[in-house]
Amino acid sequence: MTYITEIMILLFLALTFLQSGYDKAIDWKGNVGWLKSHFANTFLGNKVPFALGIILILELFAALFSLIGIYQLICNNNKDMALYAGITSSITLLLLLYGQRIAKDYDGARTIVIYFIPTVFLLFLLK
């Protein structure tokens, strides 16, 4: 397979963002409650539901683009949707990183970097 590395990273992103989006949708109130306390001392404290909704939408698009990207790479060697998946995933992760930095949750920010590295590598491979 020509694009096996790209497909594995896209599968990783699809699983990551599908699970995360599913968790947010199923336990919206629990997530909002936890995040309100997490961001209580920041300017995001009263914007949590809106911010969480934006993140949820971005995660779902990143997962969808990843799945379509896998299909297009396998079926017609088209890299466009895979690239959109990488870009959307990167933006999502950067927003999550920004939020963790604002909350001064440096361990949480460090964890997001672990997801960001393969995402940037995907963009490198697809350029």
Side-chain angles (χ1 to χ4, degrees):
M1 289 189 117
T2 306
Y3 295 109
I4 191 64
T5 305
E6 293 89 334
I7 290 168
M8 289 297 123
I9 296 171
L10 287 166
L11 188 57
F12 167 77
L13 293 172
L15 291 171
T16 298
F17 288 124
L18 279 174
Q19 186 282 323
S20 183
Y22 176 78
D23 177 64
K24 286 174 182 61
I26 294 301
D27 187 21
W28 180 262
K29 285 185 181 185
N31 280 287
V32 168
W34 184 86
L35 289 168
K36 278 187 176 183
S37 67
H38 189 65
F39 290 106
N41 298 323
T42 72
F43 71 92
L44 291 174
N46 60 351
K47 297 173 180 68
V48 166
F50 176 75
L52 188 61
I54 296 296
I55 293 297
L56 172 60
I57 290 166
L58 285 169
E59 287 179 341
L60 293 176
F61 274 110
L64 179 65
F65 291 165
S66 294
L67 294 172
I68 295 169
I70 291 168
Y71 175 80
Q72 287 188 345
L73 284 173
I74 292 170
C75 292
N76 58 17
N77 293 324
N78 186 325
K79 299 192 274 186
D80 291 345
M81 287 307 290
L83 183 61
Y84 296 148
I87 292 168
T88 306
S89 297
S90 294
I91 291 168
T92 304
L93 291 166
L94 287 170
L95 289 172
L96 291 169
L97 175 72
Y98 180 63
Q100 296 294 27
R101 299 288 297 181
I102 287 171
K104 297 183 180 180
D105 181 358
Y106 301 114
D107 286 334
R110 188 178 9 234
T111 300
I112 292 167
V113 172
I114 294 168
Y115 292 91
F116 190 65
I117 292 168
T119 306
V120 171
F121 184 57
L122 175 67
L123 292 173
F124 173 76
L125 292 173
L126 293 169
K127 71 174 175 74

